Amino acid sequence: MITRLARPIRVSGTNIVLTEEYVGSATHGICYPSVSSCITITGQAAGGLVGAHISCLTHPDVTKRALAAMKTAGGASCLNFYVVGAITKFKAGTRDESLKTRKKIRDQIRESINPNATVWFYDTTPRDAHIFAERVGARVGFYLVSTPAILVTLTYPKLDKREAIPSTHFVVR
């Protein structure tokens, strides 16, 4: 299921594409296209992934609705959340004071979705990239593809070449 925060849109399938201000869940993979000044939030649920794509220009009320939508889409059961994207650019440009630091982002995820969650961060700044989160067995793998390398539409792309983000590069805040 994919939900546009202004009005719900439902899509079935194992892989989804979430553009800015969309929230959704997938059994296998989520693609977040064209992340240049945005963050993505991905929760690892037992049955798949729950995600949101938040722009630095996203209004604070929309961000609150996005986190609430993640909770009802399965995020309440997620113990691990991953914030991947242009975190440095996002923090500098966001209009939402409650997301100006990694600690505040973590606190918002815990307050809005799951108070017991561990929140992991990976900053892609200064790189513009498409970000992929995919279930790999019992864990989540994250991958990057430079934005000029491929054009992502609303169809989940099949990729041969992509750069894995090593799990050791994520930090907890």
Side-chain angles (χ1 to χ4, degrees):
M1 176 183 82
I2 297 177
T3 304
R4 173 80 168 139
L5 297 174
R7 71 183 167 180
I9 299 170
R10 295 176 190 262
V11 177
S12 61
T14 58
N15 299 315
I16 60 173
V17 175
L18 295 179
T19 57
E20 291 176 5
E21 297 184 359
Y22 274 78
V23 173
S25 58
T27 57
H28 180 260
I30 300 174
C31 171
Y32 303 97
S34 303
V35 176
S36 59
S37 60
C38 310
I39 59 170
T40 68
I41 302 171
T42 306
Q44 179 182 0
L49 305 172
V50 178
H53 188 156
I54 307 295
S55 163
C56 66
L57 300 177
T58 299
H59 191 277
D61 289 342
V62 175
T63 301
K64 286 184 187 351
R65 286 196 313 248
L67 296 175
M70 285 184 72
K71 181 176 183 173
T72 60
S77 67
C78 296
L79 295 177
N80 289 293
F81 285 88
Y82 302 88
V83 178
V84 181
I87 297 170
T88 301
K89 284 184 186 178
F90 178 86
K91 292 186 312 181
T94 186
R95 301 183 299 175
D96 190 341
E97 288 297 321
S98 70
L99 300 176
K100 283 279 190 186
T101 67
R102 290 180 191 212
K103 181 184 180 305
K104 288 181 176 184
I105 294 168
R106 180 203 65 203
D107 291 349
Q108 282 300 312
I109 292 169
R110 286 181 175 169
E111 180 181 312
S112 302
I113 306 172
N114 184 337
N116 300 313
T118 301
V119 183
W120 302 83
F121 291 85
Y122 181 82
D123 194 351
T124 61
T125 306
R127 186 174 181 184
D128 295 349
H130 306 301
I131 297 171
F132 293 82
E134 294 182 350
R135 288 188 64 194
V136 181
R139 64 177 195 82
V140 181
F142 287 88
Y143 309 90
L144 298 172
V145 175
S146 294
T147 52
I150 64 162
L151 175 66
V152 174
T153 61
L154 295 180
T155 303
Y156 197 88
K158 294 180 182 179
L159 300 172
D160 294 329
K161 296 181 181 179
R162 57 190 183 171
E163 177 185 338
I165 301 172
S167 60
T168 56
H169 290 194
F170 283 84
V171 295
V172 175
R173 291 280 190 252

